[in-house]
Amino acid sequence: MKIIQAYKNGAEDWHYLQEKAQLQNPLVFVFGDRYLLEDESMLLNIRKEFNYENIIFGSSSGEILDGTMKDISISVTAIELEKSTFVIERENISNFNMQPDLLGEALLDKLPKEKLKHLFVLSDGLLDAKKLIEGLESNLNYKIGITGGLCGDDARFEKTLSSLNENPKTGEIVLIGLYGDALEVSYASAGGWFPFGPVRKITKSKDNIIFEIDNKPALDVYKNHLAHRAIGLPSASLSFPLNITREGEKQPLVRTILGLDELQKSLVLAGDAPENAKVQLLMASVDAIIDGAQFAAELAMKNREKKAEIAILVSCIGRKLVMNKRAGEESQYIKETLGGPTIMTGFYSYGQLAPFDKNGKTNLHNQTMAVTLISE
C-alpha cells in the first residue's frame, strides 16, 4: 500500500506530508469545508494537483490528517492498493423517492460480491442513515463489515456535499467495496460519555423526535434532569446527549440533541429514537471523550494479524464543539495508540456508521469516534 497526503488552506500552496509522487489508480479521499467544495476554482485546483480517476469528495465539520485536526481546509489522502482492489458506486437520494433503504439496496446490487471484504460509506449528512444501513444489509447473505460517516457542514447544519469524481452535490451517497484475500479490515467505535440520572422509557416518538418520556413531555423531563445546567440551553444540549437502548437490544446508542421544540415540548435528535426504548442522559469531561477515542482505537487493533497501514477516523461535530480547543487531542492520542507506521485520515461528521466492535452490527452513532483500520 502506498499513501500520499496533502492539504491546503484557501489560496495557499499544497502542503505534502510525504514525498510527492504519482500513484497507480489510487482511491482518493478529499475532505473539506463545504464552502471550499462549492468553489469552482478550488475544485479545478484539486483535480489538477490530483489527476486521478477515482476521487471521492465529502464536506466536513473539520478534517483529520495524520494526528492533527484542521478547520476550513482541504485534505487529500490518495491510497494505492498493491495487493487488493476496490469498486466504487454512487447514487442520489432524489432518484429513490427520498427513501434511503431503497438507495442502499440499489448501491449494494451494483457491487460484485466475490471476495468482497468490507464496505465503506460516505453519505449526505442530513438523510436517515439508519434506513440506509438497513438497505445495504438487506441482501447481504454473509457478514460484511460496514463503516463510514455522514458528511458535515461545520456547525451550520444547512446542507452537506459529496460525490464521486463529479462536483460535490447534495443527496449523494458513495459506496466503496474493498476486495482481496490479502486485505485485513478491523473497526470499532466508542464515545467516552457516561450516564447520569434514572433510566426512563420513551413513551411517544416519531422517527427522530421524542414527544414523551415516561408519559411526560420530553422537554420538561430533560430540563428537570439537567436542573441548573438547563440555563445554558439550547447550546448546552451538545454537552448532554442521550443514551438510547432500543427494545430487545443491550448496547445503547448515543444520540445528539439537534433541537428543542418549546411548543410541542419535544426533543429533536440526530438519529432514530423508537418508542419503548430506554433513555438516559449522558455527560462527559473532555478527558473522558479523548479516552473514548483512544479506547475505540484499542478495540479496532485487538487481535489484528497485521499492522494497520491506514486508519480512517470519523468523529462527531458534537465532540469537536464540546472539546473546543482540545479537539485535536483525540486524533493525537489515536496516533500514539496505533503507532508510527499507521497513516491517518478522516473528518468530523454529522453521524458515524460502525459497529461497536468487529462482532457487532453496524449502527448510526452520534458523539462517537469510529475507527476503520486497513492493511493488505
Side-chain angles (χ1 to χ4, degrees), residues 146-349:
I146 302 175
T147 58
L150 307 188
C151 292
D153 181 26
D154 200 21
R156 296 179 288 260
F157 293 93
E158 295 173 355
K159 63 178 178 177
T160 70
L161 306 175
S162 53
S163 70
L164 170 62
N165 296 326
E166 299 177 351
N167 285 2
K169 63 190 75 171
T170 61
E172 202 79 355
I173 293 85
V174 181
L175 181 64
I176 306 164
L178 298 175
Y179 299 80
D181 294 331
L183 202 65
E184 182 179 7
V185 184
S186 61
Y187 38 81
S189 61
W193 304 83
F194 56 90
F196 73 100
V199 177
R200 296 184 177 274
K201 185 177 181 180
I202 298 174
T203 49
K204 184 179 179 182
S205 68
K206 182 179 180 182
D207 299 327
N208 65 325
I209 302 174
I210 304 178
F211 296 100
E212 292 183 4
I213 298 174
D214 285 350
N215 297 308
K216 299 176 182 177
L219 182 55
D220 291 346
V221 174
Y222 184 68
K223 287 182 176 180
N224 289 338
H225 281 332
L226 288 183
H228 66 279
R229 302 182 186 91
I231 297 173
L233 294 176
S235 59
S237 63
L238 283 172
S239 300
F240 300 98
L242 299 178
N243 238 11
I244 303 289
T245 307
R246 297 181 187 134
E247 198 172 15
E249 297 185 5
K250 294 181 179 180
Q251 194 74 267
L253 299 169
V254 181
R255 288 288 179 259
T256 302
I257 296 175
L258 293 179
L260 312 174
D261 190 322
E262 294 285 353
L263 184 62
Q264 297 191 77
K265 298 291 184 180
S266 63
L267 303 173
V268 182
L269 309 186
D272 66 309
E275 290 183 0
N276 298 317
K278 295 177 182 178
V279 60
Q280 192 174 19
L281 263 70
L282 295 171
M283 65 185 302
S285 66
V286 173
D287 288 335
I289 294 176
I290 293 170
D291 288 344
Q294 189 171 11
F295 181 59
E298 291 170 352
L299 277 178
M301 291 175 63
K302 193 174 181 180
N303 298 323
R304 281 186 63 88
E305 296 180 3
K306 305 172 188 176
K307 186 73 177 177
E309 295 177 80
I310 183 80
I312 305 176
L313 311 183
V314 183
S315 190
C316 183
I317 175 61
R319 295 168 67 87
K320 179 186 172 189
L321 294 175
V322 171
M323 289 186 289
N324 200 0
K325 294 180 180 180
R326 294 184 61 189
E329 290 184 33
E330 64 173 352
S331 56
Q332 292 172 13
Y333 273 80
I334 289 178
K335 183 174 177 62
E336 292 174 9
T337 301
L338 296 176
T342 304
I343 292 176
M344 295 165 43
T345 187
F347 65 104
Y348 280 85
S349 70

